[in-house]
Amino acid sequence: MKKWLGLTAPEASLYSAPLPAGEGWLEMTYLGTAGFVLKTPQRTVVLDPYLSRANILDTLTKPLHVQPGLLSKHIPHADDVLIGHAHYDHILDAPALCKMTGARLIGSVAACNVGRAAGLPESQLVETHGREDIACGAWTVRGLPSIHGKAIFGRIPLPGDMLTPPPWPPRFHQLKHGQVLNWLVDTGSLKVVHIDSADFIPSELQGIQADVVCLCAIGRKYRPDYVKEVVALLKPKWIVPCHWDTMFTPFEAEPEMIPGVDLAGMVREIEAEGVTAVVMPMRGKQVFSR
C-alpha cells in the first residue's frame, strides 16, 4: 500500500466478500470519500460523488475542474444524485453527472445553487430542507437535518450557506457546506442511512430503523460514543465505514488513509455492538439482501 504521512490504507484482510444476492437485493459501490452508488434493476441513486480528485497543491491553489471521462466510465447511469452537504469533495462532480445522465440533483439550497452555477436547469434540481419524503421512482428518499463535524483542528471547515450560485469553476474555499443532510434511502426492501460528515443530530435519527448505515469514519475521533450511539438509534444490521480515504489521491489509484482514522478500531467497535462491519475497497461492490 502507498503511504501518506506514514499511514497506509486498510489491508485487504479487512475487506468483506460480496454477500449472496437474494430477493430485494441492493448493489452498493463505494466511490471513496462519502460517495456511493446504490443500484437495483429499477433504480440507481448516487450519493456525494467525487471522482475528479485534484492533488492537494492544485486543490489549494487552482479552480477545481471536473473530469467527465471518469464519471462516464465509472457512473454511466444515474436517476438521482443526493448531496449531503456542499463541500467540494461531496458536490463538485454532481452537476456534471446530472448533465450526462439526466439525473435530478437533490439537496439543500446550497447544493442546488451549485447545480445552478454549473448550468443545470431547474427541471433537474430538487431543493429540500429535510424531513420530507421525495419519490425516486418506486423508492423514497428523505433528508435528515444534521451538522458537520469539527474535523479541522476542532473547527467546522468552510462553514456557512450559499444563498446564490457560487463562481464556476469554483475554488475549494468558495463551496460552503450549507445545510447538512443525512439521507434515508428506502428501496422498498432495504433502508439505507448515509451519514456523510463527522457528526449528527440524535433527535433527527430517532424512530428510524436502517438496514445499512454508511458512516463517516473520521467521526469517531470527534464525537464520543459515535458508533455506539448510531447503533442504538438506527439498529442497523450492517455498517459500511466511509470517508476514511483522502480526497487528494487519484480515483483510480490506491487509496490513502486520512490521518487520525483508525479503521481497524472502528471495525472492532462496530462488531462489539453486534453489527456486521462491511469495509469496502475503493470502487468495490457489495450486494445486500434481506
Side-chain angles (χ1 to χ4, degrees):
M1 291 288 187
K2 292 194 301 182
K3 293 188 176 182
W4 186 64
L5 296 182
L7 299 163
T8 59
E11 296 299 328
S13 60
L14 278 176
Y15 295 154
S16 301
L19 300 168
E23 188 175 343
W25 61 268
L26 174 70
E27 180 187 86
M28 180 181 290
T29 303
Y30 183 46
L31 302 175
T33 59
F36 290 91
V37 179
L38 309 182
K39 182 179 179 181
T40 67
Q42 295 76 34
R43 203 75 182 169
T44 300
V45 168
V46 181
L47 292 146
D48 286 9
Y50 181 54
L51 282 61
S52 303
R53 300 165 174 232
N55 63 43
I56 189 168
L57 181 61
D58 287 348
T59 297
L60 294 175
T61 62
K62 299 178 181 180
L64 301 173
H65 292 278
V66 173
Q67 296 189 43
L70 282 176
L71 295 178
S72 61
K73 177 180 177 180
H74 292 281
I75 316 177
H77 176 72
D79 295 300
D80 295 294
V81 178
L82 311 181
I83 300 300
H85 66 275
H87 281 161
Y88 78 95
D89 56 317
H90 296 254
I91 200 172
L92 182 74
D93 286 348
L97 179 60
C98 291
K99 286 182 183 179
M100 293 167 56
T101 62
R104 300 181 299 176
L105 189 154
I106 306 176
S108 68
V109 171
C112 288
N113 274 325
V114 172
R116 293 182 181 102
L120 270 186
E122 292 296 321
S123 60
Q124 286 180 255
L125 299 174
V126 180
E127 284 188 9
T128 181
H129 295 285
R131 304 192 187 102
E132 62 176 323
D133 287 333
I134 300 168
C136 294
W139 299 14
T140 58
V141 300
R142 185 192 311 165
L144 308 172
S146 187
I147 51 178
H148 196 286
K150 297 178 179 179
I152 303 293
F153 303 113
R155 296 175 179 268
I156 295 174
L158 302 175
D161 211 342
M162 291 182 288
L163 303 180
T164 58
W168 201 264
R171 293 181 180 269
F172 86 99
H173 59 83
Q174 293 171 321
L175 297 182
K176 313 299 183 183
H177 64 55
Q179 184 183 12
V180 181
L181 296 168
N182 299 328
W183 284 101
L184 168 63
V185 180
D186 186 348
T187 72
S189 298
L190 292 166
K191 293 181 180 180
V192 179
V193 170
H194 179 257
I195 299 177
D196 78 339
S197 184
D199 212 337
F200 57 89
I201 301 173
S203 61
E204 298 291 346
L205 303 184
Q206 286 178 346
I208 295 171
Q209 190 278 321
D211 299 292
V212 184
V213 174
C214 303
L215 187 59
C216 177
I218 197 66
R220 291 178 67 246
K221 185 175 180 181
Y222 301 104
R223 183 181 178 111
D225 296 322
Y226 183 68
V227 170
K228 186 174 184 178
E229 194 169 0
V230 165
V231 171
L233 286 163
L234 296 175
K235 300 176 176 60
K237 184 174 182 179
W238 301 283
I239 289 180
V240 180
C242 64
H243 225 327
W244 50 260
D245 55 292
T246 78
M247 63 285 289
F248 307 118
T249 311
F251 181 72
E252 293 182 333
E254 282 190 274
E256 297 168 314
M257 191 81 76
I258 295 175
V261 169
D262 175 13
L263 194 53
M266 185 178 189
V267 167
R268 289 192 296 270
E269 193 172 339
I270 291 167
E271 294 184 342
E273 295 298 321
V275 178
T276 300
V278 180
V279 180
M280 297 178 64
M282 287 281 294
R283 304 170 302 281
K285 298 181 186 297
Q286 186 85 25
V287 175
F288 297 91
S289 60
R290 282 287 190 182

